[in-house]
Amino acid sequence: GAVVSQHPSWVICKSGTSVKIECRSLDFQATTMFWYRQFPKQSLMLMATSNEGSKATYEQGVEKDKFLINHASLTLSTLTVTSAHPEDSSFYICSALPLAGGKTQYFGPGTRLLVL
Amino acid sequence: AQRVTQPEKLLSVFKGAPVELKCNYSYSGSPELFWYVQYSRQRLQLLLRHISRESIKGFTADLNKGETSFHLKKPFAQEEDSAMYYCALHSGGYQKVTFGIGTKLQVIP
């Protein structure tokens, strides 16, 4: 149980285009989902906290208009990288916190984005 | 500001040798510390948390508030322990997680 999926697993896009990444909790409902990015040989950095039905809370230094987050249901959160640039190329990982309680976050497998 | 420090990016040990992955933290409140593990080509997963005081796969970790440390230990390393290990500090009502940079454990047969 407690599986989180991400789609797509990898994506290549041209500079200036927008890319949407989906994060789904497959067998549980999640009140809160988190979005991280990870650069090569670096740690996961929290980008934003997404709560179902409300606006996401962004970490300092993360552009809200650049990284649009939508958490429309208890099983789905999306991250849209708008007007992507090569410096946005990274590994994006989501995690979900079950509605049932507890503090264990369940992580998705990640999405690798390459912007040309 | 909260911070998690893992001083070693790579730790190589021989099979059967003891393992200690170091983690130090900085946090003004009451910390909740976790260890996460990522095996090759797999997703990040929880290994253990300090509240549970449990032993998972032979690993233990004790929170030392005096030294602000949460080192991960195992008496006898196994080849299947080779993985990336992240120390993490949970805080805030929404369980914000601050990760360390990670330590790659390489167990040599």
Side-chain angles (χ1 to χ4, degrees):
Chain A
V3 177
V4 175
S5 70
Q6 281 184 241
H7 178 79
S9 56
W10 61 271
V11 57
I12 302 173
C13 69
K14 291 182 179 180
S15 186
T17 61
S18 294
V19 175
K20 180 186 284 188
I21 303 170
E22 293 185 349
C23 177
R24 291 181 185 274
S25 54
L26 298 184
D27 50 2
F28 66 98
Q29 293 181 319
T31 48
T32 305
M33 290 184 171
F34 303 86
W35 286 97
Y36 300 86
R37 67 186 296 182
Q38 185 177 32
F39 291 107
K41 299 186 179 181
Q42 293 189 30
S43 187
L44 286 79
M45 298 297 294
L46 180 65
M47 298 175 65
T49 302
S50 167
N51 290 286
E52 186 267 337
S54 63
K55 291 184 179 180
T57 302
Y58 290 82
E59 294 301 301
Q60 191 173 12
V62 178
E63 299 176 57
K64 301 178 183 181
D65 296 331
K66 174 77 172 174
F67 299 99
L68 300 179
I69 292 174
N70 185 288
H71 194 156
S73 76
L74 288 173
T75 59
L76 173 65
S77 176
T78 60
L79 168 68
T80 301
V81 183
T82 62
S83 187
H85 290 282
E87 56 266 30
D88 298 324
S89 299
S90 188
F91 194 53
Y92 293 87
I93 302 171
C94 73
S95 70
L97 198 60
L99 176 65
K103 296 179 179 178
T104 299
Q105 293 184 26
Y106 297 92
F107 287 82
T111 297
R112 188 162 301 282
L113 170 65
L114 177 61
V115 184
L116 302 177
Chain B
Q2 57 200 59
R3 188 170 63 245
V4 176
T5 304
Q6 291 180 253
E8 303 146 325
K9 289 188 177 181
L10 173 65
L11 180 64
S12 296
V13 301
F14 285 102
K15 177 182 174 181
V19 174
E20 183 178 50
L21 299 169
K22 294 188 180 343
C23 172
N24 288 89
Y25 66 91
S26 174
Y27 182 56
S28 58
S30 183
E32 294 188 51
L33 277 298
F34 292 63
W35 276 98
Y36 288 87
V37 61
Q38 187 171 28
Y39 299 102
S40 180
R41 299 182 184 280
Q42 294 187 28
R43 69 189 65 196
L44 199 66
Q45 58 185 288
L46 177 67
L47 179 62
L48 55 79
R49 66 193 84 180
H50 91 268
I51 290 179
S52 303
R53 300 186 66 82
E54 57 201 344
S55 174
I56 303 294
K57 299 183 179 181
F59 285 97
T60 59
D62 290 318
L63 179 63
N64 186 322
K65 292 187 178 181
E67 296 182 358
T68 60
S69 68
F70 187 56
H71 303 326
L72 183 67
K73 300 178 183 179
K74 184 170 182 176
F76 308 104
Q78 303 297 316
E79 288 181 64
E80 55 266 29
D81 295 330
S82 295
M84 196 74 182
Y85 291 82
Y86 293 94
C87 182
L89 187 155
H90 286 226
S91 64
Y94 293 121
Q95 295 304 308
K96 173 180 175 177
V97 184
T98 301
F99 284 90
I101 199 168
T103 298
K104 182 176 182 179
L105 175 64
Q106 186 177 57
V107 180
I108 304 167

